[in-house]
């Protein structure tokens, strides 16, 4: 695996930049032999050592897929799945389906291919077995094999109180399974089986986000779970806590009531959450009375 920074420039007097990994703060990682869509990069990197820098020009016919590669790299830099929004079809079919890559400069480059200049600086080179692949770089079989270990690592980090790090692990495991699920027909047995593996990971992720006070993300994810699995007690409970945190009182009470209807044994836990919500409401009312005292008598 080679880790490197890269700049992509349009040919011409001004050499207009297209991409710059340094500007995004995230270097590129490329695993040799993974059928990367830009073989000119792999060919160059195979001859380079850490600390070396290379600059080379490629004809348009050799970089016709660069707009699609660039979109994936931009998604990776933003912490997204590089295949986000894509269906399981060829690149040309995706273009006809979506009409746009989501970036005007890449759309223009897609319509009018042109020579590009690449400026690459190698940061490090790691032999096989000495690094952990990102989910997007794994084969389907590697993704399935990696999920239990990533899940286990996330649980251990959570037990150690490293909540953001645990959330990142759960996210990686979810990304592996989501990538596989995209290749299945929604509602098919294989799709459902993968979704049932995703759900507990997503609930763990939501627990981390609750502790990080990222409540609206919890609301979104728990609602997506409940749209498919109406009897998921954990999703109702976590969504209830998120609603309570953002003062959606009626929604929180409704979710907690649903928890009790599905599992009456959780009454002590739910009662504690409801008492906490009522106490916060009393405090808020008292603060509001002080804040607005005399406002209508002025």
């Amino acid at each position: 695996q080679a880790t490197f920074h890269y700049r992509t420039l349009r040919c011409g007097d001004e050499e207009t930049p297209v991409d710059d990994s340094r500007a995004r703060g995230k270097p590129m990682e490329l695993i040799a032999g993974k059928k990367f869509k830009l073989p000119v990069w792999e060919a160059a990197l195979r001859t380079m050592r850490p600390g070396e820098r290379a600059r080379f020009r490629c004809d348009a016919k050799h970089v016709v897929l660069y707009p699609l590669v660039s979109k994936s790299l931009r998604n990776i830099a933003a912490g997204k799945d590089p295949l986000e929004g894509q269906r399981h079809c060829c690149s040309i079919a995706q273009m006809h389906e979506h009409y746009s890559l989501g970036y005007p400069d890449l759309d223009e480059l897609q319509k009018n291919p042109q020579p590009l200049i690449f400026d690459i600086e190698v940061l490090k080179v790691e032999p096989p077995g000495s690094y952990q692949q990102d989910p997007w770089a794994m084969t389907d079989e590697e993704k399935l094999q990696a999920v239990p270990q990533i899940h286990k690592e996330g649980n251990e980090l959570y037990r150690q109180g490293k909540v953001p790090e645990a959330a990142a692990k759960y996210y990686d495991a979810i990304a592996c399974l989501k990538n596989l699920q995209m290749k299945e027909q929604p509602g098919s047995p294989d799709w459902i089986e993968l979704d049932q593996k995703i759900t507990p990971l997503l609930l763990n992720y939501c627990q981390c986000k609750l502790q990080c006070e990222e409540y609206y993300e919890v609301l979104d994810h728990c609602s997506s779970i409940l749209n498919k699995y109406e009897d998921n007690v954990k999703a109702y409970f976590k969504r209830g806590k998120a609603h309570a945190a953002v003062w959606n009182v009626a929604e929180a009470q409704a979710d907690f009531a649903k928890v009790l209807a599905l599992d009456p044994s959780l009454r002590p836990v739910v009662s504690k959450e409801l008492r906490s919500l009522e106490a916060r409401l009393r405090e808020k009312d008292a603060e509001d009375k002080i804040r607005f005292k005399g406002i209508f008598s002025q």
Side-chain angles (χ1 to χ4, degrees), residues 4-298:
F4 59 97
H5 274 302
Y6 68 93
R7 291 182 72 215
T8 304
L9 309 164
R10 294 176 185 267
C11 290
D13 295 336
E14 297 183 0
E15 294 189 351
T16 306
V18 178
D19 289 306
D20 186 343
S21 62
R22 290 181 183 82
R24 299 193 187 113
K26 184 177 178 64
M28 170 66 181
E29 296 175 349
L30 188 150
I31 300 173
K34 284 292 183 179
K35 297 182 180 180
F36 189 60
K37 291 182 180 179
L38 209 61
V40 291
W41 278 13
E42 183 170 339
L45 289 163
R46 284 183 179 276
T47 67
M48 298 174 69
R49 297 180 179 180
E52 287 189 330
R53 188 166 183 171
R55 178 184 168 95
F56 52 95
R57 179 184 183 277
C58 288
D59 294 336
K61 64 181 180 180
H62 293 131
V63 292
V64 67
L65 291 178
Y66 183 77
L68 289 168
V69 172
S70 177
K71 176 184 177 180
S72 293
L73 297 180
R74 292 179 187 188
N75 281 346
I76 292 167
K80 302 177 181 178
D81 185 332
L83 299 179
E84 184 172 291
Q86 296 184 22
R87 301 191 322 179
H88 185 48
C89 54
C90 69
S91 301
I92 299 302
Q94 290 166 8
M95 286 299 298
H96 283 298
E97 175 70 16
H98 300 293
Y99 300 102
S100 172
L101 292 170
Y103 300 95
D105 60 331
L106 298 183
D107 288 339
E108 194 277 329
L109 193 58
Q110 181 80 25
K111 294 175 184 176
N112 303 295
Q114 59 183 269
L116 295 173
I117 295 170
F118 297 114
D119 188 328
I120 291 176
E121 181 183 1
V122 177
L123 302 178
K124 63 180 178 179
V125 178
E126 299 168 272
S130 63
Y131 58 88
Q132 182 172 326
Q133 296 184 43
D134 286 331
W136 61 267
M138 298 177 184
T139 65
D140 288 355
E141 184 178 350
E142 288 170 340
K143 289 183 177 75
L144 279 174
Q145 293 175 349
V147 166
Q149 179 60 31
I150 299 173
H151 191 171
K152 181 179 178 181
E153 292 171 1
N155 290 346
E156 182 59 31
L157 287 166
Y158 186 83
R159 282 193 291 269
Q160 294 173 6
K162 299 177 180 179
V163 178
E165 293 86 350
K169 287 291 183 181
Y170 295 138
Y171 181 92
D172 284 347
I174 292 166
C176 285
L177 296 173
K178 282 284 189 183
N179 184 272
L180 295 173
Q181 193 182 41
M182 287 170 59
K183 302 176 182 181
E184 305 295 341
Q185 180 68 30
S188 68
D190 288 339
W191 189 96
I192 293 171
E193 182 180 354
L194 288 167
D195 203 61
Q196 289 173 344
K197 292 179 179 179
I198 290 169
T199 299
L201 286 162
L202 191 53
L203 287 168
N204 286 357
Y205 180 77
C206 286
Q207 180 61 33
C208 293
K209 291 301 175 179
L210 275 175
Q211 293 190 224
C212 293
E213 300 183 358
E214 297 178 34
Y215 303 118
Y216 288 102
E217 189 169 356
V218 176
L219 293 175
D220 288 342
H221 289 312
C222 287
S223 294
S224 72
I225 291 172
L226 291 168
N227 285 336
K228 293 175 288 187
Y229 308 106
E230 297 179 355
D231 60 348
N232 193 298
V233 177
K234 290 183 178 179
Y236 278 115
F237 185 75
K238 295 181 194 303
R239 192 174 72 173
K241 292 190 68 166
H243 274 309
V246 296
W247 301 106
N248 296 337
V249 178
E251 291 85 349
Q253 292 171 335
D255 278 347
F256 288 137
K258 191 68 176 179
V259 171
L260 290 178
L262 291 169
D263 189 349
S265 70
L266 292 176
R267 183 171 298 278
V269 179
V270 170
S271 296
K272 181 180 178 181
E273 293 295 332
L274 289 172
R275 286 196 301 271
S276 175
L277 176 58
E278 291 168 0
R280 289 173 58 232
L281 285 171
R282 288 194 295 271
E283 290 176 5
K284 186 175 183 296
D285 288 342
E287 291 173 359
D288 288 345
K289 287 178 181 179
I290 295 172
R291 184 180 298 112
F292 299 115
K293 184 179 181 180
I295 191 173
F296 297 110
S297 60
Q298 294 179 358

